[in-house]
Amino acid sequence: MRTGVWLVGARGSVATTSIVGALALRAGLTGPTGCVTELPGVNSPALPGFADLVFGGHDVAVTPIAKRAEALADAGVLPARLVAALPEELSAVERELRPAPTAGTQADRAAALVRDLTAFRQRHELARVVVVNVAATEPAPRPHPGHADADALRAALAGPDEVLPPSSLYAYAAVAADCPYVDFTPSTGLRLPALTALADRHGVPYAGHDGKTGETLLKSVLAPMFAMRHLTVRSWSGLNLLGGGDGATLADPDANAAKVRSKQRVLGETLGYLPQGDTRIGYVEELGDFKTAWDLITFAGFLGTGMRLEFTWHGCDSALAAPLVLDLARLTAAAHAAGRTGPLTDLAFFFKDPLGTATHSLADQWTRLCAFAGSLDAGDTDATRG
Amino acid sequence: MRTGVWLVGARGSVATTSIVGALALRAGLTGPTGCVTELPGVNSPALPGFADLVFGGHDVAVTPIAKRAEALADAGVLPARLVAALPEELSAVERELRPAPTAGTQADRAAALVRDLTAFRQRHELARVVVVNVAATEPAPRPHPGHADADALRAALAGPDEVLPPSSLYAYAAVAADCPYVDFTPSTGLRLPALTALADRHGVPYAGHDGKTGETLLKSVLAPMFAMRHLTVRSWSGLNLLGGGDGATLADPDANAAKVRSKQRVLGETLGYLPQGDTRIGYVEELGDFKTAWDLITFAGFLGTGMRLEFTWHGCDSALAAPLVLDLARLTAAAHAAGRTGPLTDLAFFFKDPLGTATHSLADQWTRLCAFAGSLDAGDTDATRG
Amino acid sequence: MRTGVWLVGARGSVATTSIVGALALRAGLTGPTGCVTELPGVNSPALPGFADLVFGGHDVAVTPIAKRAEALADAGVLPARLVAALPEELSAVERELRPAPTAGTQADRAAALVRDLTAFRQRHELARVVVVNVAATEPAPRPHPGHADADALRAALAGPDEVLPPSSLYAYAAVAADCPYVDFTPSTGLRLPALTALADRHGVPYAGHDGKTGETLLKSVLAPMFAMRHLTVRSWSGLNLLGGGDGATLADPDANAAKVRSKQRVLGETLGYLPQGDTRIGYVEELGDFKTAWDLITFAGFLGTGMRLEFTWHGCDSALAAPLVLDLARLTAAAHAAGRTGPLTDLAFFFKDPLGTATHSLADQWTRLCAFAGSLDAGDTDATRG
Amino acid sequence: MRTGVWLVGARGSVATTSIVGALALRAGLTGPTGCVTELPGVNSPALPGFADLVFGGHDVAVTPIAKRAEALADAGVLPARLVAALPEELSAVERELRPAPTAGTQADRAAALVRDLTAFRQRHELARVVVVNVAATEPAPRPHPGHADADALRAALAGPDEVLPPSSLYAYAAVAADCPYVDFTPSTGLRLPALTALADRHGVPYAGHDGKTGETLLKSVLAPMFAMRHLTVRSWSGLNLLGGGDGATLADPDANAAKVRSKQRVLGETLGYLPQGDTRIGYVEELGDFKTAWDLITFAGFLGTGMRLEFTWHGCDSALAAPLVLDLARLTAAAHAAGRTGPLTDLAFFFKDPLGTATHSLADQWTRLCAFAGSLDAGDTDATRG
Ligand SMILES: NC(=O)c1ccc[n+]([C@@H]2O[C@H](COP(=O)([O-])OP(=O)(O)OC[C@H]3O[C@@H](n4cnc5c(N)ncnc54)[C@H](O)[C@@H]3O)[C@@H](O)[C@H]2O)c1
Ligand SMILES: NC(=O)c1ccc[n+]([C@@H]2O[C@H](COP(=O)([O-])OP(=O)(O)OC[C@H]3O[C@@H](n4cnc5c(N)ncnc54)[C@H](O)[C@@H]3O)[C@@H](O)[C@H]2O)c1
Ligand SMILES: NC(=O)c1ccc[n+]([C@@H]2O[C@H](COP(=O)([O-])OP(=O)(O)OC[C@H]3O[C@@H](n4cnc5c(N)ncnc54)[C@H](O)[C@@H]3O)[C@@H](O)[C@H]2O)c1
Ligand SMILES: NC(=O)c1ccc[n+]([C@@H]2O[C@H](COP(=O)([O-])OP(=O)(O)OC[C@H]3O[C@@H](n4cnc5c(N)ncnc54)[C@H](O)[C@@H]3O)[C@@H](O)[C@H]2O)c1
Ligand code: NA
Ligand code: NA
């Protein structure tokens, strides 16, 4: 089952790490650490193998992917030996990358995106192409009547306005090309009534949003711990310091606000009340792709006694995100093959701000993920249907 | 259903906090923060209410419990206003405390313990008495043939030797008096073949061991997080600094070793391998009842990229432990009422080193606890049987 | 040498802690921990003793100081036993507190302030009155031509405008009443050309500004450490979480900006370059008077190897500030007695943003402080002059 | 002034980093970050330049130094590009390395060491050779009468016993060859009455001991901070986690004890009392040459209010130590050239456990270092004497 993985933001850190990693796994040069889909309970014959994945993508940047990979190796994100061992494989991917279309109306650009996706699928005889958005985080878009209704949207796109933010135009094109869509970022993407309606019409599944890789991952196990022990969280405050491309984008207060909001949601929903404090994001160029997050949690125990927990997370964001991108591509492809449509709420395990009313407890999300993965293997796939 | 709670080590910090807390709850002076049995999912009509609990206990120390409570208030463990509001209630408990018997053979002392338990049950017309060991941690005992066999044990106890460590003598007496038994400490307690056989013979349930209140609690959510994300934990090292009575005891290298061992078990069993590093315990008198634990976890992600998590836990051990003592007393009493016998492995949620082969993941332990609590309410209780 | 200490913001946390502490020291109920002027090298017969200090002050709030002291005791800032032991002494101070004048032009209000100061000095037959500003931090004032010139200022004050921010009006009145003036806050206070000219004309010494009690104190020893070791500080980022009255004020972005600026100055001036990163202040009501500051410092060593230092400071701001207020009152009084005038740049040890071009290295500031204190004892005092 | 630097333990991490760094500095491939002798105030024309340094040394290991350098580059201690750029320079150093003599009595071995040192000096026409001990830390030696007296020592060395620990035999040989000697380790080295007497007889200066690179460096600025602020340090506890060669050695409890003792000295001597708590060293292989040290300091302020400071130091030991080794070689060479003899107590800035009764405050040590460096430039050097 050859499966396309089309990355929006294909020259970024997360995308490049995902690609190098998948190529290295295929070549047997590394192991699947960090890949959830390789764990018993989630792994399943229904999932395409790493060797079945074919990569392509869009980006507004032009730096060759091999150069980006070298830069990531210099920054300690990737082992240099892997990049050195895969020159031809990286060139092959390079040939599948396309510039983001810029000419014409948004309708024209969407059509160009659809052509790129369709041509990719045909060129490589792919069973399907999963589109994954790993482009830079956008600010929240200006409201537009076309966001609410698929037909109004189509009409508006043909006009001169920038009706959709870029992430949503990619989502629109993905759906139009019958591709499942995953939003790994906090950007709008498919989250507009017009677009989810369109996705339903095209019968494609979609997942999102905002990959859960650091502080929120910890929150999704620590907040349930406090809840299960009936301890009252009085305040939860944090500072996320990060450099890298993503850090620079998030230094923009608008993008920052979107990210911070999705980070707090887990607390309110898990605890049933919102503790004092908030989470801040700070850009420190010198930290590069490594992020340092510090959180202070004050809580009350029996008879009101005050206590505190502090943690420092020092993680490489791209190395944490990349295997999840591969996991999501595999799971969403298998869901599509199994005929699933609409929001894949069972993939909440992977996201800061998951679709649907899913629980925010990582353990509960895990249980749902395992059940979901198991159900994909029930035989109702392309093969059996074909 | 009036229920006795007999605390071994009744004048210690944990016991005193448990008693003051239960009295304050009964008087409506405080809320049930930290009490797991008050959470939906665990709470059940099968559990005795706080107002149904009657306290008694043994201790080698003689400081009046009201004095101990005042000292804990000065140390910030308890609100002084609660101690001030409960003078008569504390006096009533004081009258139920008995010195640890010291005269005669171990058989003589066990008989004295049984008399104390039986008299307590009768004096207060209690449905049952749950014995909870919250005495100071002991060193591991010297092996003795009597540990393996109940009849050999009975014979040996009548002789001049100290066959059983104190915690096990209490467990022996509890069982002999048909009392359910909970071991909140890492001491030997009931964990000898001769004693578990005896418990089976008497048809009493038992639970243990070593209350999970700090670093291990965190391990039981963080280690599963690493496992679920397929991240490789390379090292996990920690330092626990604590003062207080328990700290002084643990400064004894033998007691320390027992505690450290139970702390590492969770890692090996959750991850499937043992990371480098270990956990140390240090006594720092000035820290009093507040413990500071620092842990450093180094882990590898995708492509081997190294990362780290560090946390500092600053908790009040007695305030964390006391509500769990009440929870365990309530749950074990209800289990006894429901006719349960043998090891209550479903109570693993509460323990560092739980009986049976229970999972060490807090979320899984929670699921089992909820199912257990739910099953107690099936009607097969004293009342229905009676 | 009876000396008046007139506190602007006399009912605040810092002021109340200073007063209770001085009264307790006088009564022999506590020791001088935290009082720099009690250390060998700084202590000197030229300084007024604690028993020589008489307290008064202005505030816009009306809560009785005894009530404020009780609240601080409840919050763990002060031992309750001290407050309980000093009811009459606190009443005596209460009688010396005056509301901040609100009627009339700023000239009228300044005259009222002068009357309060003069009456206090006469009523208690004080050798001098040191005015110390410990009122809530203000936003930066709007520029006004009167700020530049003493005569223009006098004229403008008689008009209807709010020419001076409150802190500067107090400074103006202090100088006009021939009182030495200490600014413990980051507010404008005496830092206007018109006011320093006036201070020179009246021959009074002054000191400031912004008491150095937490993160900046650490910076003043850590930054020199990096400099002395020729290590390159690449980034220094921090988050200060605080509740309490001061925290609420600083949540105001304008006041916050002033405070943050003074915090970064020490780095640039000590290192000779400004590392990346900045310091944030967050208000978390539940933290009360205890502040938690977290700092991350990344630095490069030999051959560019990257390293990091992280610290968490958990301090009680009022307990750190109060003894310094007493120190500053004593030292400034002695300086006045010794005939010193103008900016006391040798007191840089106490301040985040010290007057003059003083070094920011705590060790160098200490050396200057000791020399200064020593020089006060040269005999050229009131007594010898009188 | 060509100057020899003879490293005992020349194939270790510290030695290799020192050598690669000096070669890279000479080649203009890197800057002097971390080199204290390049700072204004310490730098002086009296110091030999980096280009004047010629390296040699002894080791019991045989791994080629270029291989060790590559391993350090892989571990992130050195930039790989530097090692790649210096193949010939490293070969040249390789030719100057000698195996530690193993045959014969200790007198025979000392004579062999002296021959190696003398031949090195002559072969390269060196003004002098500074011997620096950077070999693995030894356990404390067994006492021997020969330790107390130079003549008894000479007699004993000719016998069959291992009279001196290895570090002291190197020190003995250094002195016998008229070489200044620096002890960068906590081993015994020259610290025996017989050896210091011999050093005096030969008129050579010496310095030591135990390079100050991590936790103790921080203590030497933080402890004075608490002292200058009259804050009472109640407890100071720490855990040092380290891998690498040095970590493995220190896992040996005897070596560990020596290191821990020297680490606590600074506290007692700076504060005037010893706080509770101690410092532990733990070996965690996976941490490699990077050390993580965590310290918790609890302290009391005004009126006894309790507060705390916590820090985590994540440093690369070899990168911190290497520039200090170069600094010490340059300063000790210049001291020898200037005719200084005996203990160089003014170099306390560099050491955990400095010779003499020097202060442990880094700032005071810096003042002494600057004065010392300045005094070397007074003209009384080889050149002027020659
Ligand atoms: N790394 C993580 O842990 C993590 C976690 C959750 C979410 N994310 C999200 O993943 C995204 C990518 O992160 P990153 O670190 O790779 O960032 P990056 O800055 O390295 O890469 C973003 C890429 O997107 C490209 N891009 C920007 N606008 C585009 C457009 N309109 N069309 C096509 N390409 C465009 C950029 O040129 C760049 O190559 C971000 O939105 C981030 O918030 C990352
Ligand atoms: N507090 C926690 O978070 C926690 C968690 C897990 C386990 N525990 C365990 O709970 C126990 C109690 O802790 P604590 O902090 O209350 O200690 P503590 O020292 O304050 O109290 C122990 C009490 O046991 C009494 N005692 C000692 N030997 C006895 C004997 N032979 N018979 C009867 N009484 C005896 C002592 O006199 C004392 O009153 C310890 O074993 C501890 O390891 C505590
Ligand atoms: N605590 C520290 O460590 C520390 C360090 C440096 C500086 N400071 C500064 O000290 C000041 C006091 O801090 P705090 O914690 O006591 O704050 P606080 O809020 O407890 O007290 C401030 C007091 O000032 C009074 N006030 C406000 N405006 C006034 C006015 N116009 N005239 C007279 N009184 C007025 C308030 O009514 C209040 O009683 C703040 O400016 C703070 O920034 C404190
Ligand atoms: N790195 C630091 O920050 C630091 C700070 C202070 C002190 N030190 C001390 O510096 C020393 C070296 O540290 P390292 O990290 O380079 O250790 P390392 O283990 O990497 O190197 C030690 C070297 O000494 C050699 N050696 C052992 N015994 C010897 C002997 N008898 N004769 C000659 N060579 C011998 C070993 O073969 C090895 O090559 C240690 O004693 C350490 O305690 C290091
Ligand atoms: Na910390
Ligand atoms: Na930390």
Side-chain angles (χ1 to χ4, degrees), chain A residues 294 310-312, chain B residues 294 310-312, chain C residues 294 310-312, chain D residues 294 310 312:
Chain A
W294 174 76
E310 220 182 286
F311 67 79
T312 306
Chain B
W294 175 77
E310 219 181 285
F311 68 79
T312 306
Chain C
W294 175 76
E310 218 181 288
F311 67 79
T312 305
Chain D
W294 174 75
E310 220 182 283
T312 306

Side-chain angles (χ1 to χ4, degrees), chain A:
Chain A
M1 192 173 68
R2 283 166 64 75
T3 301
V5 182
W6 188 267
L7 300 167
V8 180
R11 301 183 187 284
S13 301
V14 171
T16 304
T17 307
S18 304
I19 291 167
V20 171
L23 299 175
L25 277 163
R26 194 163 72 189
L29 299 173
T30 193
T33 305
C35 295
V36 173
T37 45
E38 291 296 302
L39 287 174
V42 185
N43 194 263
S44 133
L47 304 179
F50 291 117
D52 297 323
L53 305 182
V54 182
F55 290 89
H58 283 116
D59 204 304
V60 293
V62 296
T63 323
I65 192 158
K67 278 261 164 309
R68 287 291 289 127
E70 278 163 27
L72 289 168
D74 285 350
V77 175
L78 293 173
R81 62 169 185 88
L82 292 186
V83 184
L86 298 162
E88 276 148 46
E89 291 81 351
L90 285 168
S91 296
V93 173
E94 182 68 41
R95 284 192 297 274
E96 303 301 332
L97 302 190
R98 298 290 175 271
T102 53
T105 63
Q106 283 205 316
D108 297 333
R109 283 177 263 154
L113 295 173
V114 169
R115 279 194 301 276
D116 286 340
L117 287 169
T118 311
F120 177 63
R121 184 164 51 206
Q122 289 172 350
R123 193 159 62 243
H124 293 283
E125 299 178 4
L126 303 168
R128 64 191 45 77
V129 175
V130 181
V131 174
V132 186
N133 181 20
V134 286
T137 299
E138 306 164 349
R142 241 176 321 156
H144 186 283
H147 293 175
D149 176 86
D151 297 317
L153 177 62
R154 179 183 314 258
L157 288 175
D161 286 1
E162 294 291 307
V163 176
L164 291 177
S167 66
S168 298
L169 198 68
Y170 286 108
Y172 176 85
V175 167
D178 297 316
C179 296
Y181 175 85
V182 177
D183 205 336
F184 200 78
T185 82
S187 303
T188 310
L190 204 75
R191 277 183 307 158
L192 292 173
L195 295 181
T196 52
L198 215 62
D200 290 346
R201 211 180 288 173
H202 283 261
V204 291
Y206 53 89
H209 61 115
D210 204 2
K212 176 161 68 188
T213 50
E215 207 187 13
T216 310
L217 178 62
L218 283 159
K219 280 182 177 163
S220 72
V221 296
L222 293 174
M225 178 192 85
F226 288 110
M228 286 186 280
R229 279 297 174 97
H230 205 175
L231 300 165
T232 307
V233 177
R234 287 184 176 156
S235 71
W236 195 311
S237 315
L239 178 60
N240 271 265
L241 299 172
L242 70 168
D246 194 25
T249 307
L250 292 173
D252 170 32
D254 287 340
N256 194 322
K259 197 98 177 184
V260 165
R261 238 188 335 272
S262 79
K263 269 163 177 292
Q264 287 299 98
R265 209 182 128 191
V266 58
L267 287 187
E269 297 189 6
T270 305
L271 298 171
Y273 55 88
L274 203 61
Q276 293 179 19
D278 52 26
T279 290
R280 289 127 199 275
I281 300 182
Y283 176 62
V284 182
E285 191 195 346
E286 111 93 0
L287 298 181
D289 278 281
F290 280 79
K291 174 166 71 184
T292 297
W294 174 76
D295 275 38
L296 171 68
I297 304 132
T298 61
F299 61 99
F302 200 45
L303 313 180
T305 307
M307 317 189 202
R308 41 178 53 214
L309 170 65
E310 220 182 286
F311 67 79
T312 306
W313 170 265
H314 180 59
C316 178
D317 263 7
S318 302
L320 288 162
L324 305 184
V325 166
L326 301 178
D327 288 330
L328 284 163
R330 297 174 82 188
L331 288 160
T332 306
H336 191 229
R340 304 296 170 89
T341 62
L344 300 176
T345 54
D346 290 323
L347 299 185
F349 180 82
F350 296 98
F351 295 112
K352 279 198 199 70
D353 198 7
L355 292 168
T357 54
T359 167
H360 284 278
S361 151
L362 193 74
D364 294 343
Q365 293 173 338
W366 171 256
T367 304
R368 290 188 60 167
L369 174 63
C370 292
F372 175 77
S375 77
L376 295 178
D377 193 23
D380 176 24
T381 63
D382 291 353
T384 58
R385 278 176 307 182

Side-chain angles (χ1 to χ4, degrees), chain B residues 257-324:
Chain B
K259 195 99 177 182
V260 165
R261 239 189 334 274
S262 80
K263 269 165 176 293
Q264 288 298 99
R265 207 182 132 191
V266 58
L267 287 187
E269 298 189 5
T270 305
L271 297 171
Y273 55 86
L274 204 59
Q276 293 179 19
D278 51 27
T279 290
R280 289 128 199 274
I281 299 181
Y283 177 62
V284 181
E285 190 196 346
E286 111 93 0
L287 299 181
D289 277 282
F290 280 78
K291 172 166 73 183
T292 297
W294 175 77
D295 274 39
L296 172 69
I297 304 133
T298 61
F299 60 99
F302 200 44
L303 312 179
T305 307
M307 317 189 204
R308 46 179 51 215
L309 171 65
E310 219 181 285
F311 68 79
T312 306
W313 171 265
H314 179 60
C316 177
D317 264 8
S318 303
L320 288 162
L324 305 184

Side-chain angles (χ1 to χ4, degrees), chain D residues 12-103:
Chain D
S13 300
V14 171
T16 304
T17 308
S18 303
I19 290 167
V20 171
L23 298 176
L25 276 164
R26 193 163 73 189
L29 299 173
T30 193
T33 304
C35 295
V36 174
T37 44
E38 290 296 302
L39 286 175
V42 185
N43 192 264
S44 131
L47 304 179
F50 290 118
D52 297 324
L53 304 182
V54 182
F55 290 91
H58 284 114
D59 204 306
V60 294
V62 296
T63 323
I65 191 158
K67 278 261 165 307
R68 288 290 291 124
E70 277 162 27
L72 290 168
D74 285 349
V77 176
L78 291 174
R81 63 169 184 89
L82 291 187
V83 184
L86 298 161
E88 276 149 47
E89 290 80 351
L90 285 168
S91 297
V93 173
E94 183 69 43
R95 286 191 297 274
E96 302 300 332
L97 303 189
R98 298 289 175 272
T102 52

Side-chain angles (χ1 to χ4, degrees), chain B residues 169-181:
Chain B
L169 198 68
Y170 286 108
Y172 175 86
V175 167
D178 297 314
C179 296
Y181 175 83

Side-chain angles (χ1 to χ4, degrees), chain C residues 6 59 71 110 204 230 240 257 305 323 340:
Chain C
W6 188 267
D59 203 306
V204 292
H230 205 174
N240 271 265
T305 307
R340 304 297 169 89

